[in-house]
Each structure stands twice: as structure tokens, then as C-alpha cells.
Amino acid sequence: MNKEENMEETDDKSFAELFEQSFKKPTRLEPGQKVEAVIVKITDEWIFLDLGDKSEGCLDKKELLDPDGKLTATEGDMISAYFLSAENNERLFTTRVSGGAAGNQYLEDAFHNRIPVEGVAEKEIKGGYEIKIAGSVRGFCPYSQLGLRRSDTPQDVIGKKLLFKITEYRDSGRSLVLSNRKVLEEERERIREELRKTLQKDMVVKGIVKSLRPFGAFVDIGGIECLLPISEVGWSRVDDLSTVLSPGQEVEVKVMELDWEKNRISVSLKAALPDPWLQLPARFPEESCHTGMVARLAPFGAFVTLAPGIDGLIHISQLGQGKRIIHPREVLAEGQAIGVRVIKIDAQSKRLSLALAGSSPQEQEEDDFRQYVEQQPAQKPDSPGALGAALLKARKGKAEKR
């Protein structure tokens, strides 16, 4: 920037602003340090950056040209850049090392200052990939250093433009070892520190399903992957995640575990959904009849699903319809659709008692009586006992009224 241009800027600033700035010292930067800066001037060869202190930064204009030679930024834009060096009170920056003259000039600086370089995966070779960077320069990226985890389809990265760190620089740049993983790890750590300021337990956030595993799904919540256990996917039981989730799907989850020290974050999709048991009395009032599906058979009864997350139990004593059975499988099968009647609701304990829809409360009382008598010690035919006699008399009275 020439003297006349500096004088024009001075005229636009008040004396008080200039006086205050005269006491500010330029912020000390380390080579490779990343900064956010505003473009204040674009010349034929250079782009001048406002670093927020007394000094400016310089960036080679070639770095912001597209393949057609057109400038991709304008004055006033905010950009990210890496500090290279300081000469004659001028600070030299780079956005990243890429192809062209600027790339060839800064390649070694990128290695020493840990600045990302831009490259394209040309082809798969033994142990990794051949990466083309800075025009005709080629480097090697091992399989373990491409991505945060090993890909099942390594050929998918061929032709993609990615960022790498130069981990080894030999023979004047003719022998380079690159790592894409280090770039991603540093970016993940930066995002992690930003999230640490705002993310809290029990917070509901949006995320993207990244991958599915037998034990759960990994969900990206703004640059950080969290575990969504299979037990927390929904209120109903899920055996196969692919039936309810797919990679790329947007979900809303609740943060359940947040351990920054162990780098462990788990989320729940179920906890972010309304609890179906809260609406149970209104949806399935007592004595109402519904159609459900037998979800599971146990020695003591059958579990029947009425709605996702809502399972009720038909006790084995309610399944015989007057006939004693040893196991529910004698009359029911898993997956079978049956009509049921709601007997009792305990929403707080998440318990729902059911009976077969064809049975009446009176038949239920008779079944209860039959079960009671069968559990009593054997009596003489003419001596059922005082309580038994009273119950028999009550049953006989009911039969006479019919």
C-alpha cells in the first residue's frame, strides 16, 4: 500500500482513534498461527489484511484466484489465513499452499510452520495414496492418515481435493509424507473447544447421522461425533437400526452424557421425543378394546404392543379362557395380531394390564376363582372350607340370576 493510499485512510479516521491506536502494540504471532482477518485493499499483486492492531498483513493475490484467474474475494470480506513470517514490519500470510507459483514458493514454509497444503488424491498405491500438490509436486499419504477412521471404500477419495499437513519433508520437497488426519484432528479439537463453551447436559440439539453400527449410530452435532446407543433410538425396541435410521438423516437428540476429559458424548433420540406413557390414559382408557401385536411370550404371560413404546401384559391366567395352560405359546404366537381389553393403567410405573378382548369382567372373576381353588390344599368333597363355601354360594347366586 503506497503513501497516498495511507493518507486517504488517515483522513477518514478521527484524531482520537489514531491517538488510541498509537499506544497499541502489534499482537505477537507464531509461524503457522491461524487468524481471522478483513480484506482492506486489493492491488495487482497483493491483498492487504486488517489484523485488528497497528500492523497489516499481506497475502499473495494468486492464492484467491480461481482456475479461470478470477478473484474469489472482495474488499471487506473476512478470510482465514496462516501467518508465515514478518519482514520489514510487514506480516506475510497464506490461506493454504496450493498449486501455482505461490504454492512452490511456500511449500517448505508449510512444513516448518505446520500450515495445511491443498492436494488431490491422484491414485491408490501400496500402503496409501499418491497426492498431487503445488503444481507438479507429489507426496504420499498412508491409509491411516486419510480421514479420522479407515474407510471401507478407499477408492472413493480418488480425485477429491483435500487438505494435508506435511509430516516429512526431504530431498528439497521431492519426497513428502502427508497427513489429512492431522488437519481433521486439529479442526475437530477447535470445534470441540467451541462446543465446550455452549454444550450442556440435557440440551436438545440437531445432528446428522454419520454411520450405523450394531450397537448404535454415530451422530455429528456440529463437527463432533456422538454415540447414539441402539437402546436410545426410540421408545419401541429396535433390533435393526437401518429400519429407522440412515446415514445423512437429520435428527434431533438430547445430550445424555457429557465427559470432556474422556472425550465421551452420548445422546438420545428417545429422550427428545414425547413420552407415549403420558398420553396413555387418554389413548387407551380402562375397559377400552384395541388390536395389538404379540411382541414376546414369557412363562407368566404375553406382552402385547399397542403403539410404539407401549407394551401391555396379558397374564397367563387370562389366556386359557376357562382352560388351564402351562405356557402362553399354547394359544398365542409372537407377531400375532389379537384383540385386547385394557384392565389397569399405571402410567407412572409404565405398566399396562390387559386381557383378551373376548373376555368379560365376570369371566375374569371366574378365572380368578378357579385359579384360587386350584392353589388350595385338597379338601373333602363335602367340606370345601368356610371361605370356599362362601365363594361357592356367591357363584351359585350369580348363576340363578342369569
Side-chain angles (χ1 to χ4, degrees), residues 167-209:
T167 57
E168 293 184 31
Y169 181 91
R170 297 192 298 265
D171 301 330
S172 299
R174 290 187 294 273
S175 179
L176 302 175
V177 179
L178 309 171
S179 172
N180 167 252
R181 183 187 182 96
K182 288 187 178 296
V183 175
L184 298 178
E185 286 177 341
E186 289 181 8
E187 181 64 14
R188 181 176 63 180
E189 184 62 25
R190 184 190 66 79
I191 294 173
R192 181 176 178 271
E193 289 305 313
E194 289 297 319
L195 275 177
R196 193 168 184 170
K197 300 174 185 176
T198 57
L199 196 64
Q200 297 179 3
K201 190 177 179 181
D202 296 328
M203 183 180 288
V204 177
V205 295
K206 290 184 178 180
I208 302 293
V209 178

Side-chain angles (χ1 to χ4, degrees), residues 84-382:
L84 282 175
S85 60
E87 295 180 9
N88 300 323
N89 264 345
E90 288 188 346
R91 298 178 178 185
L92 188 61
F93 288 82
T94 180
T95 53
R96 59 181 178 268
V97 178
S98 57
N104 294 328
Q105 179 184 352
Y106 300 138
L107 193 57
E108 188 172 0
D109 285 336
F111 167 65
H112 291 298
N113 299 324
R114 303 178 301 280
I115 296 173
V117 300
E118 191 175 74
V120 176
E122 290 276 284
K123 59 182 177 181
E124 188 177 0
I125 57 178
K126 184 179 180 180
Y129 302 89
E130 182 177 290
I131 309 297
K132 181 180 178 182
I133 58 174
S136 59
V137 179
R138 280 172 167 76
F140 171 70
C141 178
Y143 284 126
S144 63
Q145 296 301 308
L146 192 77
L148 291 172
R149 58 173 61 91
R150 181 77 175 265
S151 173
D152 297 330
T153 54
Q155 65 275 11
D156 289 349
V157 303
I158 302 301
K160 287 188 176 180
K161 187 179 292 185
L162 303 167
L163 290 179
F164 300 86
K165 287 288 185 74
I166 302 175
T167 57
E168 293 184 31
Y169 181 91
R170 297 192 298 265
D171 301 330
S172 299
R174 290 187 294 273
S175 179
L176 302 175
V177 179
L178 309 171
S179 172
N180 167 252
R181 183 187 182 96
K182 288 187 178 296
V183 175
L184 298 178
E185 286 177 341
E186 289 181 8
E187 181 64 14
R188 181 176 63 180
E189 184 62 25
R190 184 190 66 79
I191 294 173
R192 181 176 178 271
E193 289 305 313
E194 289 297 319
L195 275 177
R196 193 168 184 170
K197 300 174 185 176
T198 57
L199 196 64
Q200 297 179 3
K201 190 177 179 181
D202 296 328
M203 183 180 288
V204 177
V205 295
K206 290 184 178 180
I208 302 293
V209 178
K210 302 298 291 186
S211 61
L212 304 179
R213 296 289 188 271
F215 52 84
F218 287 100
V219 178
D220 186 315
I221 58 168
I224 295 293
E225 287 193 10
C226 309
L227 175 62
L228 170 60
I230 191 170
S231 60
E232 295 295 325
V233 171
W235 286 99
S236 57
R237 179 172 175 171
V238 177
D239 295 317
D240 183 2
L241 274 177
S242 62
T243 61
V244 291
L245 294 175
S246 59
Q249 180 179 344
E250 183 174 307
V251 292
E252 200 169 63
V253 293
K254 186 174 184 178
V255 179
M256 304 301 290
E257 183 181 4
L258 195 58
D259 191 335
W260 294 109
E261 299 304 320
K262 295 181 180 179
N263 201 24
R264 184 182 301 164
I265 304 176
S266 64
V267 294
S268 171
L269 182 59
K270 177 174 72 174
L273 300 172
D275 187 344
W277 286 88
L278 298 179
Q279 290 82 37
L280 195 66
R283 293 182 62 188
F284 305 103
E286 292 183 4
E287 298 304 325
S288 62
C289 293
H290 310 272
T291 299
M293 185 186 73
V294 179
R296 184 165 59 92
L297 299 177
F300 52 82
F303 289 95
V304 179
T305 300
L306 296 185
I310 300 296
D311 287 353
L313 174 66
I314 307 180
H315 193 269
I316 190 171
S317 62
Q318 309 294 326
L319 294 173
Q321 294 182 320
K323 176 184 175 182
R324 184 178 183 181
I325 60 174
I326 303 301
H327 196 281
R329 71 169 68 96
E330 296 178 33
V331 292
L332 293 176
E334 292 185 2
Q336 178 181 348
I338 60 172
V340 295
R341 178 170 54 84
V342 177
I343 298 176
K344 185 178 180 181
I345 297 172
D346 187 348
Q348 186 173 1
S349 301
K350 290 182 169 54
R351 293 180 180 177
L352 181 63
S353 299
L354 305 173
L356 293 175
S359 64
S360 64
Q362 181 175 317
E363 289 174 335
Q364 181 181 330
E365 290 177 7
E366 293 177 355
D367 284 340
D368 291 341
F369 170 74
R370 176 178 54 77
Q371 294 283 336
Y372 169 80
V373 172
E374 289 175 353
Q375 293 173 7
Q376 300 307 305
Q379 300 283 347
K380 293 181 180 180
D382 58 347

